[in-house]
Amino acid sequence: MTAPDAKTGTGDEKLVVEIIGAHNLMPKDGEGSSSPFVEVEFEDQCLRTHVKRKDLNPIWNEKLVFHVIDANELRYKTLEISVFNEKRSSNSRNFLGKVRVSGSSVGREGESAVQLYTLEKRSLFSHVRGEISIKHYVTTTTDSNENIIRVNGSGGSKKSKKVSSSIGTQHQQIALLNHQQHNQQRMLPFYPNQGEIKPLVITALPGPRPGPVLYTNGSSEFFLKETKPRLGGVTSGLSSHKDKTSSTFDLVEQMQYLYVRVIKAKDLSVSGEVVSEIKLGNYKGVTKKVSSTSLEWNQVFAFSKETIQSSVVEIFLREVNRDEYTGRVWFDLSEIPTRVPPDSPLAPQWYKIESRNGVGELMVSVWFGTQADEAFSEAWHSKAGNVHIEELSSIKSKVYLSPKLWYLRVSVIEAQDVAVINKGSGLTRFPELSAKLHVGSQILRTTVSAANPTRSFTNPYWNEDLMFVVAEPFEDYITVIVEDRVGGNDVGRVQIPVSAVERRTGDKPVGSRWFTLDNNGNNNSQFGSRIHLRLSLDGGYHVLDEATMYTSDVRPTAKELWKPHVGLLEIGILGATGLMPMKVRDGKGSGTADSYCVAKYGPKWVRTRTVVDSLCPKWNEQYTWEVNDPCTVVTIGVFDNARVDKSNSNTRDARIGKVRIRLSTLETERVYTHSYPLLVLHATGVKKTGELHLAVRLSRGNAVNMFQMYTLPLLPKMHYTQPLGVHLIERLRYQTLNAVAARLSRAEPPLGREVVEYMLDHDFHVWSMRRSKANFFRLVNVVSSLVWVARLVEAMRSWTKPVCSTVFVAVFLFMVLFPELILPSLFLYAATVGVWRFRKRPRHPPHMDARISHAETVFPDELDEEFDTFPTSRGFEVVRMRYDRVRSIAGRIQTVVGDMASQGERAQALLSWRDPRATFIFLVFCLVSAVGFYVVPVKLTVAVAGLYYLRPPRFRRRLPSRGLSFFRRLPSRADSLL
């Protein structure tokens, strides 16, 4: 499209801008939505559309008509189109994005088509997303029957009632094309330049009208939802008597199972290996193979009652190498008893086997029960019938315990009589020495001993503390090696078992010892090399395996320092819905998942059983933890089991999502039943992978102890008396993660390293532009209250509302006259606000929020950078672009830091005599002020200063005050920089 020809300009041209609609706008009203409107500026003319309440995909279908002064100059003009969110509570608005359209792209009426523009940012930290569809052209006539808004002198408008109904369908077609274009753009490593606009021309789409397109935005799919499950046989929230068969499992839905325990057989006339087969309708369970000399299985089979399609359960015995059965035992389901824990287990009995020769007996027990039965966790489940018998252990539920970890402190003080003999010359050389320490897979080194004229070079001195992480039982050794940096060889070494190291619970230092160094058989009679060490196992620290903001346990390692628990945490893992398919089995077109849950709180890890071939699994398993501190976090993750398929070469379990719940946000003795969205950030963006249904209850033990915990330090005492550095804590946390992952990977079934890393947030410290923006806006939200107060004072100073300003001045004078009421009034106001907000307190626990995390608006290049390896594996051009971007951001931060330093240096220059005239003026001012403040009462001074500051605008100057002008003229060290 081209601009109108200059020869055709008549002076009566009108520029028509049709605002069709917008799509996928950013929610800005704090409730997951926005009330957008469009404002268009052209040649000092400003028009706006109507507001669409609570709509992230608004459709306006409105025409804004502008008068064109000179059509010949149109190609040099710019059309500014901005989208805003209107706030109901005030007259302000939020920025949602803008588009700049050059006049050279405006065509004649009938020649232009609907164009799709991506909304741009206004600044670096603008929170913008979405697209807007617009049609613009020049015309000489306007139809009064169309939906037109005309401009007048004040920017007002008048709108007709007729709205074209075909534009809605056109807007859906635009959204569909934009969705396809967005999916293609997500494959690129990064976006083009933000200032470059490439409009997409929309033409008529062939075929039937497309259906609605779902987008990932701030809609309800990312929100927490309250559920009403039948916990313990009773719908949550209803006051009724629960089913007695639910026992103590009152946070899960009751699930009925038929249990069959096959113990052993005797008097069978068989010669080879024998197996038992349990058949119930279409389900069949097979025991392990046993020899005919030892017919003992002791296995439990569980069949879900809701899938039973038979009236009898049959147990067949047969030899492995034969197809025909040796015998059978069967039971009528109507005669099987029901067992309710805590009743004792049902005793197995001998039953005669129906066979041709009429001999043989089978010891078996059959009963109906629930998931509260002790045999539930070890049983073979009917829904796992296609799992190989060798892989059954990988799908069972288990409870794991993290190893008991200690910080090992090794103080390398000094060494004596250390020397190296040069074999070539036979002369003794005094080397540069350092100490290298091995503890398991951890290796640390001291610095090279510095030259000291008061000490001999054969007696190096270090006096450095090195920290390691060790786990009970202590099987490792501390290997200390003294190295020669010049010669590159070992001077001597010593090995010390960790189990022999003294333990301490406080900050009192332990005694040091001398250890003889082994010179690898090169000992000279005149040298007796030894090293001076101080070793201790510090039990007063808490070994951090999680990030401090997500920690689930803050107790010290030494058990004698533990305080009694203050409550009980109970979690019912009910199930999940709408899980994302993680694999395709047996060439089926539709995907499936073999999902299980892992929950961690403190040293206790729990793992539910794996539900095979289900995108809506039901676990209904309940677990309990002792709570030692209410200000802790429990983490529940969902994973796909990769070990179910024996033929699968990939043994890494895929992450589906996780949920964090801070216990301090829960009310005690209340059952929270909610559906938590599972959100995972991929290189292509944030995805909802399903919903996890949980029932959570925090029981309070001793109320006094729980309230007292809020007054105690978060970490044990030793973290404050002998603090560890930030970098040291991060290094030790990595070693702790390795120790926990190594121990849990040796369990059965193993808990993979990828699961441990995901649960412990091992990569939370990695640089991310998305996290940086999220933290910046968190900070902005924190200081917003101070900004509100400043704006309130400024509004009172402006005297736009004289009554309010007068009341404000009166209150100020009252506080000056009675200053003793200031603090009581502030505290009374805070208490009143807290009581008033009690009725609007949060009723749901917090959850992972994609909007706060800025996961919905992140650019593909920022995600690609976040998922990049360290060191980077990207190409030169991509790395250069990212480096330039970081330089741009760092340059702005550098400028801000420099300005802050300049202000501080100006304050120091008041008395430094760098500017003798300014310092003289300031000293005279100080002397006069000292006399004035001594003579004039303080109340009068504060009152006069306040009234002067709050004076009406008509008594003010637009120029800066004399004091501010004086301060800005003071010198700083900025002019001394290169």
Side-chain angles (χ1 to χ4, degrees):
M1 293 180 291
T2 60
D5 193 355
K7 296 181 181 180
T8 61
T10 63
D12 297 328
E13 285 85 2
K14 308 293 183 183
L15 173 61
V16 180
V17 181
E18 294 188 19
I19 308 298
I20 308 297
H23 167 70
N24 198 22
L25 296 179
M26 175 62 61
K28 287 291 184 75
D29 62 356
E31 300 177 358
S33 187
S34 291
S35 299
F37 66 91
V38 179
E39 187 175 274
V40 184
E41 295 183 15
F42 177 73
E43 289 188 336
D44 298 330
Q45 306 172 60
C46 182
L47 294 178
R48 55 174 285 181
T49 66
H50 287 69
V51 178
K52 295 293 183 180
R53 299 291 178 188
K54 301 291 183 180
D55 194 352
L56 296 179
N57 300 289
I59 298 176
W60 287 284
N61 299 326
E62 299 183 13
K63 291 183 180 180
L64 308 180
V65 182
F66 298 88
H67 177 67
V68 180
I69 300 176
D70 187 358
N72 299 331
E73 300 293 329
L74 179 60
R75 67 181 64 193
Y76 306 110
K77 303 295 183 179
T78 302
L79 197 62
E80 295 275 353
I81 303 174
S82 303
V83 186
F84 297 95
N85 166 59
E86 184 182 71
K87 292 184 178 180
R88 278 191 169 183
S89 57
S90 61
N91 294 326
S92 59
R93 58 189 183 178
N94 299 116
F95 179 73
L96 296 179
K98 70 174 184 178
V99 172
R100 284 184 139 193
V101 180
S102 173
S104 60
S105 63
V106 179
R108 283 288 177 181
E109 183 179 10
E111 300 177 358
S112 62
V114 177
Q115 299 182 7
L116 188 67
Y117 295 92
T118 301
L119 295 176
E120 300 176 1
K121 295 182 177 181
R122 184 166 54 186
S123 62
L124 176 65
F125 295 104
S126 294
H127 207 185
V128 171
R129 75 171 184 207
E131 300 84 17
I132 186 171
S133 50
I134 304 169
K135 184 178 180 181
H136 40 67
Y137 53 87
V138 174
T139 183
T140 56
T141 59
T142 56
D143 189 358
S144 60
N145 294 326
E146 291 183 345
N147 182 24
I148 296 178
I149 297 181
R150 296 184 179 274
V151 67
N152 54 22
S154 61
S157 61
K158 182 179 180 180
K159 180 181 175 182
S160 63
K161 297 184 178 180
K162 182 177 179 181
V163 178
S164 174
S165 61
S166 63
I167 304 297
T169 304
Q170 189 179 23
H171 182 62
Q172 290 184 353
Q173 295 170 352
I174 295 170
L176 178 61
L177 281 185
N178 176 55
H179 180 65
Q180 296 171 351
Q181 184 192 33
H182 180 64
N183 289 337
Q184 296 173 359
Q185 288 180 348
R186 295 200 302 184
M187 304 294 291
L188 300 176
F190 55 90
Y191 274 138
N193 295 333
Q194 296 298 320
E196 182 181 1
I197 300 178
K198 296 183 178 180
L200 175 67
V201 179
I202 305 300
T203 57
L205 294 178
R209 170 181 172 178
V213 181
L214 298 180
Y215 290 86
T216 303
N217 51 28
S219 60
S220 61
E221 64 172 344
F222 284 179
F223 291 168
L224 199 67
K225 302 174 185 176
E226 189 171 5
T227 58
K228 298 292 183 180
R230 293 183 55 84
L231 301 182
V234 177
T235 302
S236 176
L238 300 180
S239 58
S240 178
H241 298 288
K242 66 178 182 179
D243 191 346
K244 66 177 182 178
T245 59
S246 64
S247 185
T248 58
F249 281 61
D250 56 346
L251 291 184
V252 292
E253 295 180 316
Q254 189 180 120
M255 301 177 67
Q256 294 287 340
Y257 289 92
L258 172 65
Y259 291 96
V260 179
R261 180 186 292 273
V262 182
I263 308 296
K264 57 184 176 180
K266 66 179 182 179
D267 300 336
L268 290 181
S269 57
V270 292
S271 57
E273 291 182 324
V274 182
V275 296
S276 296
E277 295 182 0
I278 296 89
K279 288 188 176 181
L280 181 63
N282 296 327
Y283 294 99
K284 181 177 72 172
V286 182
T287 64
K288 59 186 178 182
K289 303 173 184 178
V290 297
S291 63
S292 58
T293 58
S294 178
L295 298 172
E296 186 170 350
W297 297 278
N298 195 22
Q299 288 183 248
V300 184
F301 298 82
F303 298 88
S304 179
K305 191 175 181 180
E306 62 182 11
T307 60
I308 293 178
Q309 299 178 353
S310 177
S311 59
V312 295
V313 56
E314 300 173 295
I315 306 174
F316 294 92
L317 288 86
R318 68 175 179 86
E319 297 182 53
V320 175
N321 54 0
R322 299 181 62 181
D323 295 334
E324 60 182 12
Y325 294 110
T326 303
R328 75 158 189 165
V329 175
W330 65 276
F331 299 90
D332 191 343
L333 297 186
S334 61
E335 299 178 358
I336 295 177
T338 299
R339 175 179 175 263
V340 182
D343 292 350
S344 299
L346 191 66
Q349 300 181 22
W350 288 103
Y351 293 91
K352 188 176 181 60
I353 298 176
E354 298 179 358
S355 61
R356 294 180 181 178
N357 51 20
V359 296
E361 290 182 309
L362 179 67
M363 179 178 283
V364 67
S365 59
V366 184
W367 72 95
F368 280 109
T370 64
Q371 70 269 33
D373 203 290
E374 294 86 352
F376 177 79
S377 60
E378 297 295 332
W380 172 93
H381 291 268
S382 57
K383 293 186 178 180
N386 57 349
V387 180
H388 195 273
I389 189 170
E390 297 179 0
E391 306 297 333
L392 286 178
S393 61
S394 66
I395 67 173
K396 293 182 179 179
S397 57
K398 288 292 180 182
V399 176
Y400 308 86
L401 287 177
S402 296
K404 190 174 183 180
L405 302 171
W406 293 73
Y407 282 153
L408 171 64
R409 185 188 298 269
V410 181
S411 300
V412 185
I413 303 174
E414 59 180 335
Q416 285 186 356
D417 301 332
V418 177
V420 175
I421 298 177
N422 293 331
K423 296 181 179 180
S425 61
L427 299 176
T428 302
R429 175 176 57 84
F430 301 107
E432 297 180 357
L433 300 174
S434 65
K436 180 172 69 174
L437 282 76
H438 291 252
V439 179
S441 60
Q442 307 172 60
I443 302 176
L444 294 177
R445 285 182 172 86
T446 65
T447 58
V448 175
S449 176
N452 191 339
T454 62
R455 297 178 62 90
S456 172
F457 286 104
T458 61
N459 301 327
Y461 184 80
W462 297 285
N463 195 24
E464 296 183 19
D465 286 352
L466 304 179
M467 300 285 290
F468 301 88
V469 177
V470 292
E472 292 186 0
F474 301 125
E475 300 174 350
D476 295 326
Y477 285 84
I478 307 171
T479 303
V480 183
I481 303 174
V482 180
E483 293 181 327
D484 178 14
R485 191 184 70 171
V486 177
N489 57 341
D490 297 348
V491 177
R493 65 173 59 203
V494 63
Q495 274 195 340
I496 308 165
V498 177
S499 57
V501 178
E502 182 180 351
R503 306 183 185 187
R504 65 169 183 167
T505 58
D507 53 358
K508 183 178 180 181
V510 298
S512 58
R513 292 178 56 191
W514 287 94
F515 296 89
T516 303
L517 293 174
D518 181 11
N519 289 0
N520 299 321
N522 296 327
N523 283 341
N524 193 337
S525 59
Q526 61 178 337
F527 293 106
S529 302
R530 60 178 185 167
I531 189 169
H532 193 192
L533 304 175
R534 181 183 292 112
L535 308 173
S536 64
L537 287 168
D538 294 345
Y541 289 106
H542 169 69
V543 181
L544 292 166
D545 59 345
E546 303 162 300
T548 53
M549 64 282 294
Y550 308 138
T551 185
S552 61
D553 189 12
V554 293
R555 294 176 298 175
T557 301
K559 197 170 184 179
E560 54 267 27
L561 300 179
W562 290 3
K563 293 180 174 59
H565 67 272
V566 297
L568 206 64
L569 173 65
E570 300 170 273
I571 296 181
I573 304 176
L574 305 180
T577 56
L579 294 184
M580 177 180 294
M582 307 300 294
K583 63 186 69 169
V584 178
R585 181 170 287 122
D586 297 333
K588 297 179 181 178
S590 59
T592 185
D594 306 321
S595 53
Y596 66 92
C597 272
V598 175
K600 181 196 181 295
Y601 184 76
K604 181 179 177 181
W605 301 62
V606 299
R607 170 179 176 156
T608 66
R609 72 187 188 283
T610 300
V611 178
V612 182
D613 284 337
S614 177
L615 297 179
C616 296
K618 289 186 178 181
W619 294 291
N620 283 304
E621 300 183 21
Q622 183 172 340
Y623 298 95
T624 305
W625 290 266
E626 290 183 350
V627 177
N628 298 281
D629 194 318
C631 301
T632 47
V633 177
V634 61
T635 305
I636 305 103
V638 185
F639 302 88
D640 179 73
N641 196 334
R643 296 175 176 84
V644 172
D645 295 331
K646 189 177 180 180
S647 59
N648 188 7
S649 58
N650 181 21
T651 59
R652 292 178 59 88
D653 295 345
R655 59 182 67 171
I656 299 179
K658 67 181 174 183
V659 172
R660 297 192 199 101
I661 302 176
R662 182 167 291 274
L663 303 191
S664 58
T665 62
L666 304 178
E667 299 177 11
T668 54
E669 310 302 335
R670 178 188 168 187
V671 178
Y672 291 85
T673 54
H674 292 89
S675 171
Y676 296 81
L678 297 174
L679 307 178
V680 176
L681 190 65
H682 295 278
T684 57
V686 64
K687 293 182 180 179
K688 180 180 177 181
T689 56
E691 295 183 356
L692 179 63
H693 297 260
L694 299 175
V696 183
R697 177 171 59 203
L698 177 63
S699 302
R700 183 176 58 199
N702 189 319
V704 176
N705 291 342
M706 181 170 287
F707 285 112
Q708 185 186 8
M709 292 301 299
Y710 283 87
T711 63
L712 300 179
L714 181 62
L715 294 173
K717 176 182 177 181
M718 204 165 178
H719 282 271
Y720 304 99
T721 57
Q722 289 189 358
L724 305 176
V726 176
H727 297 290
L728 178 59
I729 288 178
E730 285 303 315
R731 182 182 64 80
L732 293 174
R733 198 173 84 88
Y734 177 74
Q735 300 298 338
T736 303
L737 187 146
N738 290 336
V740 174
R743 183 66 60 87
L744 297 183
S745 63
R746 295 197 301 265
E748 188 60 35
L751 208 58
R753 181 181 179 88
E754 67 279 3
V755 176
V756 176
E757 289 180 348
Y758 186 55
M759 296 291 290
L760 297 182
D761 292 285
H762 76 292
D763 58 348
F764 85 103
H765 62 281
V766 178
W767 158 257
S768 168
M769 179 67 75
R770 175 188 60 83
R771 286 200 189 106
S772 302
K773 289 181 180 179
N775 292 332
F776 173 80
F777 284 104
R778 287 172 57 203
L779 181 61
V780 170
N781 187 45
V782 169
V783 302
S784 60
S785 57
L786 301 178
V787 175
W788 178 83
V789 172
R791 289 179 177 176
L792 175 63
V793 175
E794 190 63 29
M796 296 299 101
R797 288 187 66 212
S798 65
W799 289 82
T800 55
K801 298 180 180 180
V803 176
C804 297
S805 298
T806 304
V807 173
F808 186 81
V809 172
V811 172
F812 169 74
L813 293 177
F814 180 80
M815 289 299 176
V816 171
L817 294 176
F818 303 96
E820 64 275 6
L821 297 180
I822 295 178
L823 290 179
S825 300
L826 290 177
F827 285 114
L828 182 61
Y829 171 76
T832 304
V833 171
V835 173
W836 176 259
R837 292 181 179 178
F838 176 78
R839 60 189 183 91
K840 296 183 179 180
R841 66 189 185 278
R843 303 298 296 173
H844 308 301
H847 66 291
M848 293 186 179
D849 196 325
R851 181 178 57 86
I852 296 178
S853 305
H854 280 235
E856 300 176 278
T857 58
V858 63
F859 290 104
D861 175 58
E862 297 174 359
L863 281 177
D864 184 71
E865 181 181 21
E866 184 171 346
F867 283 91
D868 192 7
T869 57
F870 190 87
T872 181
S873 59
R874 299 298 184 263
F876 171 75
E877 292 297 332
V878 176
V879 174
R880 185 175 67 174
M881 183 272 297
R882 293 174 181 171
Y883 175 67
D884 291 340
R885 181 175 60 192
V886 173
R887 287 179 62 193
S888 174
I889 299 174
R892 301 183 185 186
I893 298 175
Q894 171 184 284
T895 303
V896 173
V897 174
D899 291 341
M900 295 173 62
S902 297
Q903 305 307 323
E905 290 169 351
R906 288 189 178 114
Q908 293 176 348
L910 289 172
L911 298 174
S912 66
W913 292 93
R914 287 194 64 197
D915 186 341
R917 287 170 293 277
T919 304
F920 175 76
I921 294 173
F922 180 70
L923 293 181
V924 173
F925 171 77
C926 290
L927 293 175
V928 173
S929 300
V931 176
F933 282 113
Y934 180 78
V935 175
V936 180
V938 176
K939 294 182 179 180
L940 180 60
T941 303
V942 174
V944 172
L947 292 175
Y948 179 77
Y949 179 76
L950 296 174
R951 67 191 186 279
R954 68 177 63 183
F955 301 111
R956 296 187 208 151
R957 297 190 308 166
R958 292 182 178 272
L959 301 178
S961 65
R962 297 184 183 275
L964 184 60
S965 299
F966 173 77
F967 184 79
R968 288 176 176 175
R969 290 177 176 273
L970 292 173
S972 67
R973 297 185 181 274
D975 51 356
S976 301
L977 297 177
L978 292 178

